[in-house]
Amino acid sequence: MSMVALTPRSERLLKALIEQYIAEGQPVGSRSLVKQAGLEFSPATVRNVMADLEEMGLIRSPHTSAGRVPTELGYRLFVNTLLTSQPLEAVDIRGLEEQLPLHQDPQQLIEAASGLLSQVTKLAGVVRVPRRAHAGFLQLEFLNLSAHRVLVILVAQDGQVLNRVIQPKRRYSPAELQEAANMFNSVYAGRSFEDVRRSLVRALEQDSEAMQKLMRSAVEMAHEVFGDPGDADPLVVSGEANLLAFPELSDREKLRRLFDAFNAKQDLLSLLDQSMAAGGIQIFIGGESGYESLEPCSVIAAPYDVDGQIVGTLAVVGPTRMSYNRVISIVDVTARLLSGALTHNAGHGMNDA
Amino acid sequence: MSMVALTPRSERLLKALIEQYIAEGQPVGSRSLVKQAGLEFSPATVRNVMADLEEMGLIRSPHTSAGRVPTELGYRLFVNTLLTSQPLEAVDIRGLEEQLPLHQDPQQLIEAASGLLSQVTKLAGVVRVPRRAHAGFLQLEFLNLSAHRVLVILVAQDGQVLNRVIQPKRRYSPAELQEAANMFNSVYAGRSFEDVRRSLVRALEQDSEAMQKLMRSAVEMAHEVFGDPGDADPLVVSGEANLLAFPELSDREKLRRLFDAFNAKQDLLSLLDQSMAAGGIQIFIGGESGYESLEPCSVIAAPYDVDGQIVGTLAVVGPTRMSYNRVISIVDVTARLLSGALTHNAGHGMNDA
DNA sequence: GCTGGCACTCAGAAACGTGGAGTGCTAAGA
DNA sequence: TCTTAGCACTCCACGTTTCTGAGTGCCAGC
């Protein structure tokens, strides 16, 4: 673990080793490394260097007479300083672009993006849906379903629709509901969801005398919905099944945990939320994510934005042995594309007369 | 395979054998069967009977000196005629009932039901969402998102909401959109989705002279959405990860296929649709479903209804070795509960003045 | 400081024996 | 005719042993 700087040669060697391991998935020995990478020194020399690298904690051998395998630290160094990330070809970008259905509502775009990620990387794709809090509120509608059930529909400026059934205390006629919605919309349209929510809380705390009765009802009903975390699934996952193909994930118990994580979504959610703040591409190698369930995996995450404002994160989850440079490029491009599509669609929703 | 009728004794024996195999998951031998089931004849007799059963194709031995294991045919006979399905206790029903959030919109109810199925059976739960075709159409709304994008919101009488973004040829003012929607609603509200869809097609085929211009626009825009299969996921799956726990599904390739099936959903979808017609609980054992991906599994499916009209199917997917009587009861009860919840919520949606 | 050589290690495959669970068959008993 | 005890047989599961090959560490010479 002595943190002496690596010589150029050992760096080169480490890089070659990791690349070979990523490609083949088997411990790489000195001889085969020399051959594969076309190195100009002998296996014996390579062995010496390997011993150094092992001492530094960058690689390790599964057992005495196997080759070497990168450690998390090794991967970390690799992605930090050794990666030759050639950006994707323009052609490939076009390919990706074509698969994102433009002009759709955000939910569909996001599902498409998730599918795209998993499909092209052959790993699992994850997209954190935009937080509604900062989105602009466009309009609300109340609709009688039956005697005591009212459907509330919330529309955001970007076209997201949120609906929920509530049971108001008293019964309203359709005309009343219509008017209540009109009043509500004229006051709150265009403000952000979070803003509206806060206003509603304040309005409820105030004396209701100050408000018209119907408006009071509207505020009460709307509050039930605005206060809600929302019914939409906050995380879209696709291609988990791709991970079954990797022999390194054959441990039943680990696999179980991993899939539970995809299902419960809690761990992934916090990881993505936390990486939303970071602003750029984030890479979590193995245990770095801090979640046990993700320990055998690496996560490549990138935030996406609408109009320059970061609203969510997308990511690819795969085994630590993954083609980092490829996946990083793909995640990067996809995040850009999604940002573009969403921004384009947000369209500064004018409801002008 | 000679189809001689089974004697009561061999039936009893088969039943005991299958039950024990389901409980323990290991081939059962004559001796242990006698002990476990408290039979009053000797292992030798049991062996003779077993030989008969094997000849009939109801059981088989994995190899010479292992016990016997049920075949698909055996399971089939078992569920057809041997099953002692004691209905669930009232307490258990209450337990299930409490976990279904009443008064929610259909989508949430369905997701809850799926989660419930997987959670209580420890297998995978699947719910086919109601087909919109027969649902009643309540109202439609057009909303400008930006210059050339209009959000169309469709509401069904049961509270389902469907939304989609379209790009109309020309630009409409909010007032126009409002009026178009009003006209549309006054004509079509209350009819079934399928009915409306057909009317729209007919209306479009007719000469547009006969229609007011704005109404014509409304019909065109609405048609884009009514004709659509809809953006909602037609199948809600939960608890796939539960299946990882079964040793009989440890075959990598089979597992892969199975999970792909859960992901692609095509196979499951057709299976459930097909069993919707059947009207009652349906059981597919192993290859009976006709889908290779589901071959190592059994599927217990039951349709659910709204107001007596069957609208969808729910199912549990697990290994062929599952506790059929338990799972059947659970599926049955859950289907009833879901039907109840949906029917209750459908509430004959009066939008009366 | 690099390299060839050499002894050493160790996982994994193949070969081998052994024990036990379970069977099929036969012959005696009910 | 049906049941059962007995017995020889089969074959998997498991532990042991052996063997092999890939790979290492180290040393001595260049």
Side-chain angles (χ1 to χ4, degrees):
Chain A
M1 240 343 163
S2 56
M3 256 310 149
V4 205
L6 264 59
T7 67
R9 194 177 61 179
S10 36
E11 277 199 350
R12 183 168 154 225
L13 220 141
L14 178 62
K15 177 158 181 270
L17 187 149
I18 295 186
E19 279 168 355
Q20 184 171 336
Y21 180 68
I22 285 176
E24 314 196 339
Q26 304 231 314
V28 355
S30 52
R31 184 185 310 267
S32 89
L33 185 55
V34 168
K35 245 189 282 181
Q36 285 265 22
L39 302 179
E40 65 279 14
F41 23 78
S42 78
T45 313
V46 170
R47 283 204 285 279
N48 289 330
V49 180
M50 276 176 161
D52 295 347
L53 292 174
E54 181 152 26
E55 215 174 332
M56 287 186 251
L58 297 171
I59 58 180
R60 66 189 178 80
S61 32
H63 58 85
T64 326
S65 79
R68 302 307 216 290
V69 159
T71 61
E72 283 186 15
L73 207 62
Y75 279 124
R76 174 46 64 192
L77 183 67
F78 179 70
V79 298
N80 278 358
T81 69
L82 267 40
L83 213 51
T84 55
S85 87
Q86 75 278 36
L88 284 192
E89 301 285 335
V91 199
D92 297 332
I93 296 185
R94 285 296 295 276
L96 287 175
E97 206 161 12
E98 275 163 18
Q99 299 204 46
L100 259 200
L102 279 181
H103 304 297
Q104 276 314 313
D105 63 299
Q107 188 63 33
Q108 280 183 299
L109 270 172
I110 279 161
E111 278 165 24
S114 174
L116 204 53
L117 282 175
S118 74
Q119 189 186 320
V120 53
T121 62
K122 305 275 186 199
L123 302 173
V126 187
V127 184
R128 169 70 161 110
V129 312
R131 323 185 80 161
R132 215 178 328 108
H134 302 112
F137 164 64
L138 181 54
Q139 97 168 40
L140 158 154
E141 182 138 356
F142 297 120
L143 221 49
N144 265 332
L145 286 179
S146 63
H148 289 282
R149 298 171 61 246
V150 169
L151 177 67
V152 186
I153 301 178
L154 254 48
V155 184
Q157 282 173 348
D158 62 2
Q160 270 190 96
V161 176
L162 169 70
N163 57 282
R164 203 154 150 330
V165 175
I166 62 171
Q167 302 176 73
K169 295 188 202 78
R170 80 169 176 88
R171 194 166 175 176
Y172 297 92
S173 74
E176 281 178 310
L177 290 182
Q178 179 70 48
E179 194 186 336
N182 286 345
M183 286 195 292
F184 187 93
N185 289 330
S186 66
V187 175
Y188 293 106
R191 293 161 67 175
S192 84
F193 271 73
E194 178 54 21
D195 191 9
V196 174
R197 196 189 61 77
R198 271 199 299 263
S199 295
L200 293 181
V201 174
R202 235 178 296 125
L204 284 176
E205 281 166 356
Q206 284 170 12
D207 195 356
S208 52
E209 303 300 320
M211 236 187 295
Q212 206 205 316
K213 226 168 53 196
L214 204 51
M215 183 62 175
R216 171 80 188 180
S217 300
V219 166
E220 277 170 7
M221 293 194 290
H223 177 254
E224 275 198 60
V225 183
F226 273 92
D228 208 53
D231 50 359
D233 205 340
L235 204 59
V236 177
V237 182
S238 9
E240 309 99 300
N242 287 337
L243 300 182
L244 288 176
F246 292 90
E248 47 258 71
L249 291 176
S250 61
D251 181 323
R252 314 280 301 164
E253 191 44 43
K254 279 184 184 157
L255 203 58
R256 185 83 211 286
R257 282 242 185 79
L258 183 57
F259 273 74
D260 278 347
F262 278 125
N263 242 295
K265 301 186 173 176
Q266 195 45 60
D267 290 1
L268 273 174
L269 206 55
S270 7
L271 185 63
L272 292 197
D273 277 355
Q274 144 195 356
S275 85
M276 192 158 81
I281 288 203
Q282 284 231 305
I283 301 172
F284 301 91
I285 295 166
E288 288 180 0
S289 61
Y291 298 99
E292 197 187 353
S293 51
L294 295 176
E295 189 256 313
C297 291
S298 286
V299 180
I300 316 281
Y304 61 89
D305 54 83
V306 174
D307 254 336
Q309 162 102 318
I310 291 179
V311 295
T313 314
L314 53 77
V316 165
V317 181
T320 35
R321 173 176 85 84
M322 67 162 80
S323 174
Y324 287 92
N325 64 24
R326 195 176 117 81
V327 173
I328 289 173
S329 304
I330 290 169
V331 167
D332 184 38
V333 169
T334 308
R336 275 187 232 279
L337 287 178
L338 184 57
S339 297
L342 287 170
T343 298
H344 174 249
N345 283 6
H348 316 285
M350 289 298 85
N351 212 22
D352 51 337
Chain B
M1 251 318 177
S2 54
M3 255 310 151
V4 205
L6 265 59
T7 68
R9 192 176 63 179
S10 34
E11 278 198 349
R12 183 168 154 224
L13 220 142
L14 178 61
K15 177 160 181 266
L17 187 149
I18 296 186
E19 279 168 354
Q20 183 171 336
Y21 180 69
I22 285 175
E24 315 195 338
Q26 304 232 317
V28 354
S30 53
R31 183 186 310 268
S32 88
L33 185 55
V34 168
K35 246 190 281 180
Q36 285 264 19
L39 302 179
E40 65 279 12
F41 23 78
S42 78
T45 313
V46 170
R47 284 202 287 278
N48 288 330
V49 180
M50 277 176 159
D52 295 346
L53 292 174
E54 180 151 26
E55 215 174 332
M56 288 186 250
L58 298 170
I59 58 179
R60 65 187 178 81
S61 33
H63 57 85
T64 327
S65 78
R68 301 307 216 290
V69 159
T71 61
E72 283 187 14
L73 206 61
Y75 279 124
R76 173 45 64 192
L77 184 66
F78 179 70
V79 299
N80 278 357
T81 70
L82 266 39
L83 213 50
T84 55
S85 86
Q86 75 280 35
L88 285 191
E89 301 285 334
V91 199
D92 298 332
I93 297 185
R94 287 295 297 276
L96 287 175
E97 206 161 11
E98 276 162 17
Q99 298 204 46
L100 259 199
L102 279 182
H103 303 295
Q104 276 313 313
D105 64 300
Q107 189 62 32
Q108 281 183 299
L109 269 173
I110 278 159
E111 279 166 23
S114 174
L116 204 54
L117 282 175
S118 74
Q119 189 185 320
V120 52
T121 61
K122 305 275 185 201
L123 302 173
V126 187
V127 184
R128 169 70 161 110
V129 313
R131 323 185 79 162
R132 216 179 325 110
H134 302 112
F137 163 64
L138 181 53
Q139 98 167 43
L140 159 154
E141 181 138 356
F142 298 120
L143 221 50
N144 265 332
L145 286 178
S146 64
H148 288 283
R149 296 171 63 246
V150 169
L151 177 66
V152 185
I153 302 179
L154 254 47
V155 184
Q157 282 173 346
D158 62 2
Q160 272 190 95
V161 176
L162 168 71
N163 57 283
R164 201 154 151 330
V165 175
I166 63 171
Q167 301 174 73
K169 296 189 202 77
R170 79 170 178 88
R171 190 163 179 180
Y172 298 91
S173 74
E176 281 178 309
L177 290 181
Q178 179 70 48
E179 196 187 333
N182 285 346
M183 286 194 291
F184 187 94
N185 289 331
S186 66
V187 175
Y188 293 104
R191 295 161 67 175
S192 84
F193 271 74
E194 179 55 19
D195 191 10
V196 174
R197 195 188 61 76
R198 272 199 299 262
S199 295
L200 292 181
V201 174
R202 234 177 298 127
L204 283 176
E205 282 166 354
Q206 284 171 10
D207 196 356
S208 51
E209 302 300 319
M211 236 186 295
Q212 206 205 318
K213 226 169 54 196
L214 204 51
M215 183 61 176
R216 172 82 188 179
S217 300
V219 166
E220 277 171 7
M221 293 195 288
H223 177 253
E224 277 197 60
V225 183
F226 273 92
D228 208 54
D231 51 359
D233 204 340
L235 204 59
V236 178
V237 182
S238 12
E240 308 99 299
N242 287 337
L243 300 182
L244 288 175
F246 292 89
E248 48 257 70
L249 291 176
S250 60
D251 181 323
R252 314 281 301 164
E253 190 43 43
K254 281 185 184 157
L255 203 60
R256 184 85 211 286
R257 283 243 185 79
L258 183 57
F259 273 75
D260 278 347
F262 279 126
N263 242 295
K265 300 186 173 176
Q266 194 44 62
D267 290 0
L268 273 173
L269 206 55
S270 7
L271 187 63
L272 293 197
D273 276 355
Q274 144 194 358
S275 84
M276 192 156 83
I281 288 203
Q282 284 232 303
I283 301 173
F284 301 91
I285 295 166
E288 288 180 0
S289 61
Y291 298 100
E292 198 187 350
S293 51
L294 295 177
E295 189 256 312
C297 292
S298 286
V299 180
I300 316 280
Y304 60 90
D305 55 81
V306 175
D307 254 336
Q309 162 103 318
I310 291 178
V311 293
T313 313
L314 52 77
V316 165
V317 180
T320 36
R321 173 177 84 84
M322 68 161 80
S323 175
Y324 287 91
N325 64 25
R326 196 177 115 81
V327 173
I328 289 173
S329 304
I330 291 169
V331 167
D332 185 38
V333 168
T334 308
R336 274 187 233 279
L337 287 177
L338 184 58
S339 296
L342 287 170
T343 297
H344 174 248
N345 283 6
H348 316 284
M350 289 297 85
N351 211 22
D352 49 339

